[in-house]
C-alpha cells in the first residue's frame, strides 16, 4: 500500500452509551429486553424448521403488486424463483424479508410502493407463524437509489463528505428514513461506511464519505442517528471495509492487503462509530483480507471476521446481513449450495438475494437435517431478526397508509432541505482569472456538453439536460449537446462547431481516464478559445485529466439535486463551500497529490 497517497489516521472516537429506542432496548441485560426476548423465543419455539429457514432469507421479487404483477414480471418470477408473485414467494419459502429494486419494478411511484408493502405484509401475516416481513432496499442517495422522484433525493455520501456537516448527515437520515418508513420500507442498506482510499475503486468511490477515517466515522454515526430518529433500521456496509480495492466484488473476488494495524487505523473506525451509535444491522463484504483471516475465504464466510472480530472484538449484537449472494465475490470459491450454510456458520443472520432461492433454502434446510447446522444456531439469528422487527414496531402495526405517503414523501420542506444540503457540497477546484461565477451580462450564451450516464434512480436527468434547464431557469441562453462518455470524432467536431460564438462551455465529465475520448473532447473545446467550465459528475479525480480548462468543479454525482446545486454555484446564486473529502493525485505522477483532502476554493 502506498502510504504517500493515503492518510492513515487514528481510530475515530465515539460515545459508547447504549441507546434505547422503541421496542427492544439496546442493553442486553435490561429486564424489559429479557421479557421481550421471552415472547420472541416462544414465537420461535412454535415455528416449523421450514419457517425458521425462511426467516433467514431476504429475497428479490419482480412486480409492482404482491398479488397482481404484470405478466412480464410473472414470467420473470417463474423463470428465476419458481413462483408467480410476491405472495406466492412468501407462502412457499416463509421469507423473513423482501428487498426492493427499481429494475424489479418494485418502486414505480410512492402510492404503488406503499400498496406493495401492505400486500407483502398481508401475505406474511397470512402464514401460520403470523410474522411480518422486514422490507429493505439500497437507498444510499447519490449514485445508488432504488426509490426515485417524487421522493426526496439527497446528495450521495462523498458529496456529504465534501460538505462535512454531521448535522446535514443526520438531517438526511431523518428525512430519508421518514420517507422510506411511509412507504413500508423499514431496513435501509445505508450508510456506506467504507473509507475510499483507492481512486481506482470501481465499486465504492463516491458511495463513500471520503478517505479520512475519522471524518467518515463521524458522518456515518450522524446518519445512523438520523435514520434511528425516524424508526428505520440503517445498515453500515461493507464490513470489514471495501474502500481499498480495484476489483468490483459484483464481478470478481477482491483481496485487501491491509495489515491488521492498517485495518484498525483505516477501515475499522466507521464501523466502531456505527456500533457506538446503536446501528441495527451491518452488511458483509465479499472480500478477502488475509491479515484478518488467512483461510482465503471471503469475509462473508469467515468465522474469524464475522464472529471473532465483529461480534466478539467490536461487540456488535445486532443483525449481520450478507451482501447479495448473487455477487461473484462470494461465489468464486464455493458453490451456491455451500455459500448460505458457510455464511451462517461464520455468524451472519440474514442471507440476502441468493441467485437461486430454491438451492440456497434447501441447502440450509438439509444442513440442519444432517446436523451440520443446529436448529439452535438458526434460533440465534432468528431471535436477532425478530428483535429488530419488534423494535421497529412491525408486530404492532406493519401497515402504512396513503395519507402517510402524501404528508411525508417529497414534501416541499424535504425537497428544500435536500437543495440546501446540496449547495454546501459542490467543490470548486480551479477558477482561472476569476472565470466563475458566470454572469449573464458577460457569459449569457452557453453550450452544455458532456456525458449522459443513465440516471442512478431511473427518474432524473439526463445530466446535460438537467444542467441546461437549470441554467435556462437562471436566465442564460443555453444550447445542449450530449456527447456521451466515449465521444466519437464526429461528436467532438460537432461540439467544437457548436462552441463557436458562445460565451462559455459547460462540460460534464464522467470518470475521465488517461487517453479517454472525453479527454480529447475537453482538449478540443479548450482549443476553441471559449472559456470551458468542467464539472465532474461522478469521481472528483477528473480534474487531473483535463488540463487547460478555465474552471473545474466536483459535483460527486449526476442526480438532479447535485447538478442543480452545481449550476447555482456556477451562476453565483450560491458560494462554493465544499472541500475535497479525498485527495486528487497528479496524472503524471500518482504518488504526488494535486489537491489534498480539505482543498476547495470559494468566491
Amino acid at each position: 500500500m502506498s502510504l504517500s497517497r493515503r492518510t492513515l489516521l487514528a481510530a475515530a472516537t465515539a460515545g459508547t452509551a447504549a441507546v434505547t429506542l422503541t421496542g427492544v432496548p439496546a442493553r442486553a441485560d435490561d429486564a424489559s429486553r429479557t421479557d421481550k426476548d421471552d415472547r420472541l423465543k416462544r414465537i420461535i419455539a412454535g415455528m416449523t424448521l421450514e419457517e425458521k429457514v425462511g426467516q433467514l432469507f431476504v429475497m428479490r421479487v419482480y412486480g409492482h403488486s404482491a398479488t397482481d404483477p404484470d405478466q412480464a414480471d410473472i414470467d420473470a418470477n417463474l423463470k428465476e424463483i419458481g413462483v408467480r408473485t410476491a405472495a406466492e414467494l412468501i407462502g412457499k419459502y416463509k421469507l423473513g424479508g423482501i428487498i426492493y429494486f427499481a429494475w424489479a419494478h418494485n418502486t414505480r411511484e410512492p402510492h404503488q410502493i406503499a400498496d406493495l408493502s401492505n400486500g407483502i405484509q398481508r401475505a406474511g401475516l397470512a402464514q401460520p407463524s403470523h410474522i411480518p416481513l422486514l422490507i429493505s432496499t439500497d437507498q444510499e442517495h447519490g449514485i445508488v437509489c432504488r426509490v426515485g422522484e417524487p421522493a426526496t433525493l439527497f446528495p450521495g455520501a462523498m458529496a456529504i463528505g465534501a460538505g462535512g456537516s454531521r448535522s446535514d448527515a443526520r438531517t438526511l437520515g431523518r428525512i430519508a428514513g421518514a420517507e422510506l418508513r411511509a412507504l413500508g420500507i423499514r431496513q435501509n442498506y445505508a450508510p456506506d461506511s467504507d473509507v475510499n482510499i483507492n481512486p481506482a475503486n470501481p465499486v465504492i468511490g463516491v458511495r463513500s464519505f471520503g478517505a479520512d477515517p475519522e471524518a467518515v466515522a463521524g458522518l456515518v454515526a450522524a446518519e445512523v442517528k438520523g435514520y434511528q430518529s425516524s424508526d428505520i433500521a440503517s445498515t453500515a456496509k461493507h464490513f470489514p471495509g471495501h474502500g481499498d480495492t480495484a476489483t468490483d466484488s459484483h464481478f470478481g473476488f477482491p483481496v485487501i492487503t491491509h495489515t491488521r494495524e492498517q485495518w484498525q487505523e483505516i477501515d475499522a473506525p466507521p464501523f466502531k462509530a456505527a456500533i457506538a451509535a446503536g446501528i441495527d444491522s451491518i452488511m458483509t463484504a465479499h472480500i478477502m483480507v488475509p491479515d484478518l483471516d488467512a483461510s482465503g475465504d471471503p469475509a462473508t464466510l469467515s468465522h474469524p471476521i464475522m464472529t471473532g472480530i465483529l461480534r466478539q472484538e467490536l461487540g456488535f449484537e445486532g443483525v449481520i446481513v450478507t451482501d447479495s449472494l448473487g455477487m461473484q465475490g462470494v461465489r468464486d470459491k464455493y458453490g451456491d449450495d455451500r455459500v448460505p450454510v458457510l455464511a451462517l456458520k461464520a455468524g451472519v443472520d440474514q442471507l440476502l438475494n441468493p441467485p437461486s432461492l430454491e438451492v440456497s433454502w434447501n441447502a440450509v434446510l438439509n444442513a440442519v437435517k444432517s446436523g451440520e447446522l443446529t436448529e439452535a444456531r438458526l434460533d440465534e439469528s432468528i431471535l436477532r431478526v425478530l428483535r429488530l422487527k419488534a423494535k421497529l414496531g412491525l408486530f404492532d402495526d406493519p401497515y402504512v397508509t396513503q395519507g402517510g405517503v402524501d404528508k411525508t414523501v417529497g414534501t416541499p420542506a424535504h425537497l428544500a432541505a435536500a437543495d440546501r444540503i446540496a449547495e454546501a457540497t459542490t467543490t470548486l477546484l480551479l477558477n482561472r482569472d476569476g472565470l466563475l461565477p458566470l454572469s449573464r451580462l458577460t457569459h449569457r450564451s452557453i453550450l452544455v456538453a458532456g456525458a449522459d450516464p443513465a440516471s442512478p434512480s431511473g427518474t432524473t436527468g439526463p445530466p446535460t439536460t438537467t444542467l441546461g434547464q437549470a441554467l435556462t431557469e437562471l436566465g442564460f441562453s443555453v444550447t445542449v449537446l450530449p456527447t456521451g462518455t466515449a465521444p466519437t470524432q464526429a461528436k467532438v467536431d460537432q461540439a467544437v462547431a457548436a462552441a463557436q460564438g458562445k460565451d462559455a462551455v459547460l462540460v460534464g465529465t464522467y470518470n475521465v481516464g488517461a487517453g479517454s475520448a472525453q479527454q480529447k473532447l475537453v482538449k478540443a473545446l479548450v482549443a476553441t478559445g471559449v472559456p470551458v467550465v468542467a464539472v465532474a459528475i461522478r469521481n472528483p479525480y477528473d480534474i487531473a485529466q483535463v488540463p487547460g480548462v478555465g474552471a473545474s468543479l466536483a459535483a460527486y454525482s449526476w442526480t438532479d439535486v447535485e447538478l442543480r446545486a452545481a449550476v447555482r454555484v456556477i451562476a453565483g446564486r450560491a458560494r462554493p463551500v465544499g472541500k475535497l473529502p479525498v485527495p486528487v493525485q497528479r496524472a503524471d505522477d500518482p504518488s504526488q497529490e494535486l489537491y489534498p483532502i480539505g482543498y476547495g476554493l470559494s468566491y
Side-chain angles (χ1 to χ4, degrees):
M1 185 180 66
S2 174
L3 297 181
S4 64
R5 70 178 177 87
R6 299 172 190 169
T7 305
L8 307 183
L9 301 174
T13 58
T16 58
V19 179
T20 301
L21 299 179
T22 58
V24 179
R27 288 179 56 86
D29 57 350
D30 190 282
S32 176
R33 165 139 165 195
T34 301
D35 291 343
K36 289 182 173 66
D37 277 1
D38 287 343
R39 292 196 291 271
L40 296 176
K41 288 176 181 176
R42 286 195 292 272
I43 294 174
I44 296 170
M47 296 167 67
T48 66
L49 177 57
E50 289 77 10
E51 287 171 332
K52 289 182 178 183
V53 171
Q55 198 62 214
L56 303 176
F57 282 92
V58 180
M59 188 61 182
R60 69 189 180 278
V61 66
Y62 291 87
H64 71 287
S65 164
T67 55
D68 189 27
D70 294 339
Q71 187 61 49
D73 292 322
I74 292 174
D75 294 342
N77 285 328
L78 287 169
K79 179 180 179 181
E80 294 187 19
I81 318 173
V83 298
R84 294 166 53 86
T85 67
E88 288 183 14
L89 174 65
I90 294 163
K92 181 175 182 178
Y93 290 104
K94 321 301 180 188
L95 289 183
I98 293 284
I99 179 173
Y100 285 170
F101 292 103
W103 51 259
H105 310 138
N106 305 139
T107 57
R108 291 180 177 177
E109 55 88 17
H111 291 103
Q112 166 269 317
I113 299 171
D115 285 341
L116 173 60
S117 298
N118 286 339
I120 285 170
Q121 297 297 0
R122 280 192 292 272
L125 294 176
Q127 303 307 307
S129 59
H130 307 297
I131 297 175
L133 278 84
L134 188 55
I135 299 172
S136 61
T137 199
D138 295 281
Q139 190 78 350
E140 296 177 14
H141 294 271
I143 71 169
V144 177
C145 284
R146 311 304 187 200
V147 180
E149 292 180 347
T152 304
L153 299 180
F154 284 91
M158 191 170 285
I160 297 298
S165 168
R166 296 183 184 184
S167 175
D168 284 350
R170 186 163 184 161
T171 297
L172 184 159
R174 175 180 59 80
I175 293 175
E179 296 199 6
L180 289 176
R181 191 181 192 283
L183 301 174
I185 300 169
R186 303 301 294 275
Q187 184 178 23
N188 190 19
Y189 298 137
D192 189 297
S193 303
D194 302 307
V195 180
N196 198 84
I197 60 173
N198 190 336
N201 195 325
V203 65
I204 304 301
V206 294
R207 296 169 62 192
S208 162
F209 287 107
D212 178 334
E214 185 175 4
V216 172
L219 293 169
V220 165
E223 193 167 304
V224 167
K225 288 185 176 295
Y227 281 113
Q228 288 172 339
S229 70
S230 289
D231 204 14
I232 285 288
S234 58
T235 307
K237 62 185 185 185
H238 309 79
F239 189 85
H242 209 318
D244 187 16
T245 174
T247 301
D248 186 341
S249 53
H250 290 84
F251 310 109
F253 187 18
V255 178
I256 308 295
T257 58
H258 290 185
T259 66
R260 179 63 182 250
E261 292 73 22
Q262 288 168 336
W263 177 80
Q264 288 281 9
E265 290 181 316
I266 301 169
D267 304 292
F271 293 101
K272 290 180 178 179
I275 293 169
I279 189 80
D280 289 306
S281 55
I282 290 178
M283 180 179 284
T284 70
H286 303 324
I287 59 174
M288 187 200 320
V289 189
D291 220 51
L292 301 185
D293 178 3
S295 71
D297 287 343
T300 299
L301 310 183
S302 167
H303 189 274
I305 293 176
M306 292 298 113
T307 297
I309 295 177
L310 184 52
R311 291 283 188 216
Q312 296 171 356
E313 290 186 26
L314 301 188
F316 179 60
E317 297 181 356
V319 172
I320 300 176
V321 56
T322 71
D323 206 342
S324 170
L325 297 184
M327 293 166 60
Q328 196 60 39
V330 78
R331 303 174 74 189
D332 261 11
K333 189 175 179 181
Y334 301 100
D336 291 338
D337 59 333
R338 295 299 299 153
V339 167
V341 176
L342 294 174
L344 289 170
K345 292 176 75 171
V348 308
D349 303 306
Q350 287 184 311
L351 302 164
L352 178 63
N353 202 26
S356 170
L357 181 58
E358 181 181 16
V359 168
S360 296
W361 191 90
N362 281 300
V364 175
L365 183 70
N366 292 332
V368 177
K369 290 181 177 179
S370 71
E372 183 179 7
L373 284 172
T374 66
E375 205 165 336
R377 168 64 193 91
L378 266 59
D379 291 352
E380 291 176 11
S381 286
I382 295 167
L383 179 59
R384 293 190 189 101
V385 172
L386 295 189
R387 275 180 189 154
L388 182 53
K389 292 181 179 183
K391 176 181 176 180
L392 298 173
L394 286 169
F395 284 99
D396 301 322
D397 183 10
Y399 299 111
V400 293
T401 66
Q402 296 297 342
V405 171
D406 291 336
K407 71 179 183 181
T408 306
V409 178
T411 66
H414 289 180
L415 296 173
D419 283 336
R420 176 188 61 77
I421 289 172
E423 279 189 1
T425 68
T426 304
T427 306
L428 179 62
L429 299 174
L430 177 69
N431 192 20
R432 299 184 194 276
D433 302 321
L435 173 60
L436 298 183
L438 296 182
S439 167
R440 287 176 298 171
L441 299 177
T442 56
H443 297 87
R444 183 176 183 84
S445 179
I446 298 177
L447 169 67
V448 174
D452 271 345
S455 169
S457 66
T459 58
T460 59
T464 54
T465 299
T466 300
L467 291 168
Q469 288 176 342
L471 284 166
T472 299
E473 290 169 4
L474 294 179
F476 292 88
S477 176
V478 181
T479 300
V480 174
L481 177 64
T483 49
T485 55
T488 62
Q489 183 60 52
K491 188 63 72 173
V492 171
D493 293 342
Q494 186 181 359
V496 167
Q500 302 302 320
K502 296 295 189 293
D503 299 316
V505 175
L506 174 60
V507 58
T509 64
Y510 181 90
N511 294 1
V512 181
S516 75
Q518 289 183 75
Q519 199 176 42
K520 186 176 182 180
L521 168 71
V522 175
K523 184 177 181 180
L525 289 170
V526 169
T528 66
V530 179
V532 175
V533 179
V535 179
I537 63 173
R538 186 166 177 166
N539 290 340
Y541 313 112
D542 287 3
I543 186 173
Q545 303 291 345
V546 290
V549 298
S552 178
L553 306 96
Y556 306 100
S557 181
W558 61 105
T559 52
D560 285 9
V561 68
E562 288 165 286
L563 296 181
R564 290 195 305 263
V567 166
R568 290 195 296 275
V569 168
I570 290 168
R573 299 300 180 94
R575 293 175 57 250
V577 295
K579 306 295 182 183
L580 278 175
V582 293
V584 174
Q585 276 74 39
R586 294 174 59 97
D588 57 351
D589 184 1
S591 68
Q592 300 296 317
E593 289 183 354
L594 181 63
Y595 298 109
I597 291 176
Y599 183 86
L601 304 175
S602 191
Y603 304 147

